[in-house]
Amino acid sequence: MKVTLNRTEFMQELQTVQRAISSKTTIPILTGVKLVLTDKGLTLTGSNADISIETFLSVEKEKVQMKIEQTGAIILQARFFSEIIRRLPDNTVTLEVIENNQVAITSGKANFTVNGLDADSYPHLPVVESQDRIEVPAHILNKIVNETVFAVSQHESRPILTGVHFVLENKKLLAVATDSHRLSQRVIPLESGEANFNIVIPGKSLTELSRSLTDEEEAIQISIMDNQVLFQTNTMKFYSRLLEGTYPDTNRLIPSSFNTEIEFSVPELLSAIERASLLSHEGRNNIVRLSINEDSVILYGNSPEIGKVEEDLSYEQVSGEPLEISFNPDYMKAALRAFGDTNITIRFISAIRPFTLEPTESQGSFIQLITPVRTN
Amino acid sequence: MKVTLNRTEFMQELQTVQRAISSKTTIPILTGVKLVLTDKGLTLTGSNADISIETFLSVEKEKVQMKIEQTGAIILQARFFSEIIRRLPDNTVTLEVIENNQVAITSGKANFTVNGLDADSYPHLPVVESQDRIEVPAHILNKIVNETVFAVSQHESRPILTGVHFVLENKKLLAVATDSHRLSQRVIPLESGEANFNIVIPGKSLTELSRSLTDEEEAIQISIMDNQVLFQTNTMKFYSRLLEGTYPDTNRLIPSSFNTEIEFSVPELLSAIERASLLSHEGRNNIVRLSINEDSVILYGNSPEIGKVEEDLSYEQVSGEPLEISFNPDYMKAALRAFGDTNITIRFISAIRPFTLEPTESQGSFIQLITPVRTN
């Protein structure tokens, strides 16, 4: 293998595949990036047990200035290799596999010789057989991920809850995540043809996917395989394993009646919650208390050692029965951040039943649920 | 004590004194910030064992919008207090000491009540008696600190070497730091009247001082006390303890003859050293090797596991005897960064003797020294 190409363009692709590469992996070969050079261009692959990313630099892409002298393949230690590429002096770099899987890296007057591994020893990526693929714009996919992924469980005690449940049915895509203390559910209509699916994607995979989708305008092809999902852009293939098992029925968790209803501006409520949580974080229970009455809504935070806070909240409107309810402010903060700058309506049944949060204008497309904390 | 003032202006002063406050201190009262309100304005004080910072917000400063209702004093837990101030909803904040050293903090509709401590329990700051003070512009002080402080020792085995040695004599200020592997020495002329001194200031104090001096144009008054130095601006007093003991005579360390001389552009040499150190960092010894010949200068880095690098260096001019010398690239990187974007001349005696680095145009005002590593 011998190729000369633009260093900046190459660096970009290296950074993309590095998202899948962990230096902590127990499989040493997965600390490497695989390079495969054909006469069409250069393919880069990075992988860990859960995610694999493959990108392609075409010889036809003008900016890449690719000059192929001999096709071939090699695996290089990813972290070092990209540090070296990043610091090279010239705009172009030449990579040449010499003897014993050693690679000569040349740029300007700098000459590196680094040890690589035989490319044949790299694990194979899943083969996509599915004909059913759907297409979603990157900005929609990013939105639905960011509105749900924060609510997945961080604990492995119920592994299925560490993923986001995606259901495509009747041209509607539903995404829901819950860690059993709070829940976030988003539904969007989708021009999906006849394709349907019901899968659970690990939260960590979705977070990395979202970071990798830089072009908001691009259309992402989604294909489902046996135990894998593939997200594909023009230049990148992003594979994630799926979580096995049955996701709990979350529909029955969402209450349909309520006794108290209040509307807030999200930024104002979020600031007040952040202030109150300064003190609750120091307390043993990390809870804040909300007191709703006909003519005042007050938020309380308390830490025996540091002090206390009370704030008369601004709200848009309130109706129904008076209520005193306590909850973890961190769940509330995460929920509010997912809504962004809008108005939401919070609906309560009682101090011990989960309450719902919805954008006032949402008409059921986005709903969140938080379980309160019993204080007596 | 009761005062209302502009939140942003107050926050700025809080952040300044917080530089001196460590949450890790073994003296609990030093996790606090002391507030003293007189009819002239509000004084804030933060301190740890080494540094104390005092700032003053004058009632006459228009932007502060200070309204004093009752003078007094209190100590508040610094980290929490500043988090609270930062997150308050309104542009102004009211602080009022109520009973039992509790403080009511009010801003907009938010009401905090936090526990404070009696201001009398705060340690006293040193009293300045010295009539001898010198004046240095902030940008000169910052420059001289940044050009030397990186070379102080990080180890407590010889405490005196953790400081920078400042000598004012014959209207010249000399600053020198060494950790016994490398040395950096700067001399500047100073209009200092008759004042002379010879002190050692802890490196950590100087780093914090440099961060606190935001106004490059300001003149800093320097006063020396028994075992303290005071740096004073219009609004801030920055105290540091001095290191006790005799600083070693560093003058005799700087060689006056040499056998090989080479001139480099700093940015070009720095880039090459950074590349070579990528590999040397992985080796057992962290050294790079420089080979100087009449017609080529080559830098080598090597790590048995990862690979090796060699680079034909660009240089301005070379003269004298050929030389092979090995050194720690981290010392070289720090030295080069202190020089900035200029040309330097490096002068060598032999492979086992310390070599000097000087800006080509410096005429003795700035010199650095690095001890090579013996490789056989």
Side-chain angles (χ1 to χ4, degrees), chain A residues 168-181:
Chain A
L168 178 62
E169 220 173 45
N170 305 328
K171 300 187 190 286
K172 272 190 199 160
L173 179 63
L174 174 144
V176 62
T178 180
D179 61 4
S180 76
H181 301 292

Side-chain angles (χ1 to χ4, degrees), chain A residues 80 83 87 89 109-115 274-275 278 282 304-312 314, chain B residues 80 83 87 89 109-115 274-275 278 282 304-312 314:
Chain A
F80 272 103
E83 272 298 308
R87 294 189 180 276
K109 293 203 275 184
N111 295 288
F112 282 81
T113 310
V114 298
N115 303 322
E274 283 173 337
R275 283 188 283 277
L278 283 178
E282 296 305 299
E305 285 189 14
I306 308 289
K308 60 185 182 181
V309 53
E310 83 177 59
E311 183 162 346
D312 202 348
S314 305
Chain B
F80 271 103
E83 273 297 310
R87 293 187 182 277
K109 295 203 273 183
N111 295 288
F112 282 82
T113 310
V114 298
N115 303 321
E274 283 173 337
R275 283 189 282 278
L278 282 178
E282 296 306 299
E305 283 189 14
I306 309 289
K308 60 186 181 178
V309 53
E310 79 176 65
E311 182 162 348
D312 203 347
S314 305

Side-chain angles (χ1 to χ4, degrees), chain A residues 133-349:
Chain A
R133 50 170 71 178
I134 64 164
E135 206 175 275
V136 183
H139 67 98
I140 297 283
L141 190 60
N142 267 336
K143 189 171 167 63
I144 201 165
V145 166
N146 294 328
E147 287 172 344
T148 53
V149 74
F150 66 89
V152 303
S153 170
Q154 304 302 319
H155 303 287
E156 290 293 334
S157 53
R158 285 182 71 187
I160 195 83
L161 295 187
T162 63
V164 177
H165 188 202
F166 286 91
V167 180
L168 178 62
E169 220 173 45
N170 305 328
K171 300 187 190 286
K172 272 190 199 160
L173 179 63
L174 174 144
V176 62
T178 180
D179 61 4
S180 76
H181 301 292
R182 38 87 182 265
L183 173 151
S184 184
Q185 174 183 296
R186 187 68 157 109
V187 182
I188 56 163
L190 211 62
E191 289 301 326
S192 61
E194 293 308 305
N196 284 338
F197 58 69
N198 185 328
I199 56 176
V200 184
I201 305 176
K204 285 180 191 162
S205 300
L206 292 168
T207 304
E208 282 307 332
L209 172 67
S210 173
R211 288 181 189 145
S212 304
L213 298 179
T214 47
D215 182 358
E216 288 278 298
E217 295 307 310
E218 203 168 6
I220 314 296
Q221 308 269 351
I222 306 177
S223 317
I224 317 286
M225 289 152 280
D226 227 13
N227 58 352
Q228 294 272 336
V229 55
L230 166 62
F231 298 90
Q232 191 166 356
T233 71
N234 282 333
T235 57
M236 177 184 74
K237 289 179 181 174
F238 184 105
Y239 297 85
S240 168
R241 75 176 172 102
L242 298 175
L243 291 175
E244 288 173 38
T246 307
Y247 201 82
D249 177 11
T250 50
N251 239 325
R252 61 177 180 77
L253 299 176
I254 299 170
S256 51
S257 67
F258 58 91
N259 298 314
T260 309
E261 188 181 52
I262 183 164
E263 183 180 344
F264 285 109
S265 141
V266 167
E268 286 188 39
L269 180 58
L270 180 56
S271 301
I273 295 281
E274 283 173 337
R275 283 188 283 277
S277 70
L278 283 178
L279 293 176
S280 72
H281 277 169
E282 296 305 299
R284 206 158 43 96
N285 299 317
N286 189 25
I287 55 170
V288 298
R289 184 162 54 93
L290 187 67
S291 172
I292 304 176
N293 290 289
E294 207 177 315
D295 52 3
S296 78
V297 177
I298 301 177
L299 184 69
Y300 298 92
N302 185 24
S303 146
E305 285 189 14
I306 308 289
K308 60 185 182 181
V309 53
E310 83 177 59
E311 183 162 346
D312 202 348
L313 297 184
S314 305
Y315 55 89
E316 304 295 320
Q317 52 188 23
V318 65
S319 65
E321 296 169 16
L323 180 78
E324 297 258 332
I325 191 167
S326 297
F327 54 86
N328 180 325
D330 295 344
Y331 292 148
M332 182 62 91
K333 280 193 273 188
L336 295 176
R337 285 181 187 136
F339 286 125
D341 185 358
T342 182
N343 277 6
I344 56 160
T345 301
I346 310 185
R347 296 186 177 91
F348 304 89
I349 299 172

Side-chain angles (χ1 to χ4, degrees), chain B residues 54-231:
Chain B
E54 191 182 290
T55 74
F56 181 67
L57 270 172
S58 169
V59 70
E60 287 169 15
K61 194 174 168 193
E62 213 166 293
K63 271 203 218 157
V64 185
Q65 302 166 277
M66 195 184 296
K67 205 179 127 208
I68 299 168
E69 293 187 48
Q70 194 183 344
T71 59
I74 192 74
I75 300 170
L76 289 168
Q77 213 285 335
R79 189 167 56 88
F80 271 103
F81 182 52
S82 71
E83 273 297 310
I84 289 171
I85 298 297
R86 192 162 71 84
R87 293 187 182 277
L88 287 174
D90 203 37
N91 284 338
T92 63
V93 53
T94 302
L95 308 174
E96 180 179 9
V97 178
I98 45 181
E99 58 200 353
N100 298 324
N101 294 316
Q102 286 196 310
V103 178
I105 306 168
T106 317
S107 177
K109 295 203 273 183
N111 295 288
F112 282 82
T113 310
V114 298
N115 303 321
L117 290 167
D118 188 341
D120 291 340
S121 52
Y122 203 82
H124 291 286
L125 295 189
V127 178
V128 185
E129 292 158 350
S130 161
Q131 300 301 316
D132 275 351
R133 51 171 69 180
I134 63 165
E135 204 176 276
V136 184
H139 67 100
I140 298 283
L141 190 60
N142 267 337
K143 190 173 166 64
I144 200 165
V145 166
N146 294 328
E147 286 172 344
T148 53
V149 74
F150 66 89
V152 302
S153 171
Q154 303 303 321
H155 302 287
E156 289 294 334
S157 53
R158 286 183 72 188
I160 195 81
L161 295 188
T162 64
V164 177
H165 188 203
F166 285 91
V167 181
L168 178 62
E169 221 172 44
N170 305 326
K171 300 186 189 288
K172 271 190 199 162
L173 179 63
L174 175 143
V176 62
T178 178
D179 61 4
S180 76
H181 301 291
R182 37 92 182 261
L183 173 151
S184 183
Q185 174 183 297
R186 187 67 158 109
V187 183
I188 56 163
L190 211 61
E191 288 302 327
S192 60
E194 294 307 306
N196 284 338
F197 58 70
N198 185 327
I199 56 176
V200 184
I201 305 177
K204 285 180 191 162
S205 301
L206 292 168
T207 303
E208 282 307 332
L209 172 67
S210 173
R211 289 182 189 145
S212 304
L213 298 178
T214 47
D215 182 358
E216 290 278 298
E217 295 307 311
E218 202 167 6
I220 315 297
Q221 308 269 353
I222 306 177
S223 315
I224 316 285
M225 287 152 282
D226 227 15
N227 58 354
Q228 294 272 336
V229 56
L230 166 62
F231 298 91

